[in-house]
Amino acid sequence: GAGVSQSPSNKVTEKGKDVELRCDPISGHTALYWYRQRLGQGLEFLIYFQGNSAPDKSGLPSDRFSAERTGESVSTLTIQRTQQEDSAVYLCASSLGGHEQFFGPGTRLTVL
Amino acid sequence: GESVGLHLPTLSVQEGDNSIINCAYSNSASDYFIWYKQESGKGPQFIIDIRSNMDKRQGQRVTVLLNKTVKHLSLQIAATQPGDSAVYFCAAPPVSNDMRFGAGTRLTVKP
């Protein structure tokens, strides 16, 4: 594909349910980032994958959040026992390891 | 801790005028600074960056100015067009590649 893709584009779930968000980075990009963006706010860093190195998980807000990445391809962000404050747009970005990141369109998560 | 913030949350300009969006940062360790544009319903898009050893960089209709003395960054858009309407973020990644974004400034261009 030409860019970063994310699925689903929208997700509505009930409080307490688990959700899984998917990110397909640009082919060949070694770095992958997840961000959370609440309505009207900036980007909140969640987690960063770089090649085969251990991921930087310093931005994950709680142990309900986890992310995996298969090699240098697809990544999934999992939120367990969702809470209403988890409602946000979750953005994924990839890069070649430099500082220009290419963002996907995001997944809008609504927790009822 | 490090923070990146913006002076104004909203900016409204007339089409054809120049726009100036400001950003303050606190992370002196950043090697470069980046501006992103986020249109409604889309992910942020890279506009321009500037290395910390520069004080000015020009792109197409955009200029970024860096003042390290006061830790201030600005984005100037010449002859602002309706398509420039978006939220603009500055980012100052520390050495660890961990991006830090400001809250953003919403630019509205009036016809």
Side-chain angles (χ1 to χ4, degrees), chain A residues 29-49:
Chain A
H29 279 195
T30 56
L32 187 147
Y33 303 77
W34 282 99
Y35 296 90
R36 177 169 69 179
Q37 186 175 33
R38 293 198 166 102
L39 186 64
Q41 297 189 20
L43 302 174
E44 179 186 357
F45 167 78
L46 297 178
I47 189 169
Y48 162 58
F49 296 90

Side-chain angles (χ1 to χ4, degrees), chain A residues 28-98:
Chain A
H29 279 195
T30 56
L32 187 147
Y33 303 77
W34 282 99
Y35 296 90
R36 177 169 69 179
Q37 186 175 33
R38 293 198 166 102
L39 186 64
Q41 297 189 20
L43 302 174
E44 179 186 357
F45 167 78
L46 297 178
I47 189 169
Y48 162 58
F49 296 90
Q50 174 60 58
N52 295 319
S53 302
D56 178 352
K57 303 180 180 181
S58 60
L60 295 178
S62 76
D63 59 8
R64 297 187 295 105
F65 288 71
S66 62
E68 300 291 332
R69 187 181 186 192
T70 307
E72 293 186 350
S73 61
V74 65
S75 175
T76 55
L77 176 69
T78 301
I79 308 174
Q80 296 177 309
R81 305 180 301 281
T82 52
Q83 304 294 313
Q84 289 183 330
E85 64 262 27
D86 298 334
S87 295
V89 174
Y90 290 82
L91 289 159
C92 173
S94 71
S95 77
L96 279 170

